[in-house]
Amino acid sequence: MSLRYFLIYKPFNTVTQFSGEPPTLKELADFPPDVYPVGRLDKDSEGLLLITNDKQLNHALLNPRFRHEKTYYAQVEGIPDAEAIRQLEAGVTITVDGKPYQTLPATVRLLAEEPELPPRNPPIRYRAQIPTAWLEIKIVEGKNRQVRKMTAAVGYPTLRLVRWQFEGLTAAGFDSGAVRELSQQEVYTACRIPARSEEISSKPRFSQQKKQFPKLKSKK
């Protein structure tokens, strides 16, 4: 079996699956039939998503004991104070599967400026009377809607959520809906996962592109 790796910037309102009512991942590009997303992003969240048919990688990245770091940008309602940041970093109690759950320690930073992100369609509704702020949140777990639940738990609901980085894989330079194929070596190195050398392919199939991570032909 040929192992394939695709990094995409999932747009807002796109479902993290290949079937069902559109828009789904199927509308972004002509993916091979045997690939699937590693983890998921909610329909109302955006950003980095890895798609592959590599079961070893899927296990390594999703097993919580390995604690792979994910970085999110969260636009929240209100301006979080120092105590809210401290609580987020220490861990807060959220609900997971109907039960209380204490989140693991996180790294949280209040950004002085809005991060450079692809435009969201539609954009967040602007309300002059209600200020917003951007947080950079780094976590090593991935419970259902975790970041949204975390910010809500300290009194600052999330308005827009973007997964920006997964270990060494980043969405820098991506447009919304962009798809790039990576080699196994690029993915394993970026995610700090060892692999048997004879299994590692150093070149992605789409190698004719000039960019560092070649783009897969889009359906747009």
Side-chain angles (χ1 to χ4, degrees), residues 56-197:
Q56 175 184 321
L57 178 68
N58 184 72
H59 169 74
L61 293 182
L62 295 186
N63 192 320
R65 72 185 179 91
F66 296 124
R67 299 195 176 188
H68 289 284
E69 186 177 77
K70 297 174 279 289
T71 301
Y72 293 83
Y73 289 135
Q75 184 184 18
V76 298
E77 187 176 286
I79 311 296
D81 56 21
E83 176 59 19
I85 301 295
R86 187 199 66 77
Q87 291 178 26
L88 289 171
E89 291 194 317
V92 296
T93 301
I94 62 175
T95 300
V96 177
D97 296 329
K99 301 177 181 179
Y101 175 81
Q102 183 74 10
T103 61
L104 294 174
T107 302
V108 182
R109 184 166 62 99
L110 178 63
L111 301 180
E113 298 180 353
E114 179 178 342
E116 293 186 10
L117 301 171
R120 200 193 87 158
N121 183 26
I124 295 294
R125 183 165 64 92
Y126 175 72
R127 291 178 289 179
Q129 296 81 10
I130 303 177
T132 66
W134 282 91
L135 295 174
E136 179 189 75
I137 302 176
K138 297 185 178 184
I139 61 176
V140 291
E141 52 186 342
K143 302 299 182 182
N144 182 40
R145 299 183 72 83
Q146 178 173 334
V147 173
R148 293 180 183 274
K149 292 177 181 179
M150 288 172 63
T151 66
V154 296
Y156 299 92
T158 291
L159 302 174
R160 183 182 181 188
L161 184 62
V162 177
R163 181 158 67 195
W164 185 251
Q165 191 162 338
F166 195 112
E167 288 289 349
L169 299 174
T170 175
F174 275 73
D175 295 325
S176 183
V179 180
R180 297 178 187 175
E181 182 167 20
L182 278 63
S183 69
Q184 185 186 68
Q185 186 174 43
E186 288 170 326
V187 174
Y188 274 56
T189 299
C191 294
R192 300 184 294 110
I193 297 173
R196 294 191 295 271
S197 59

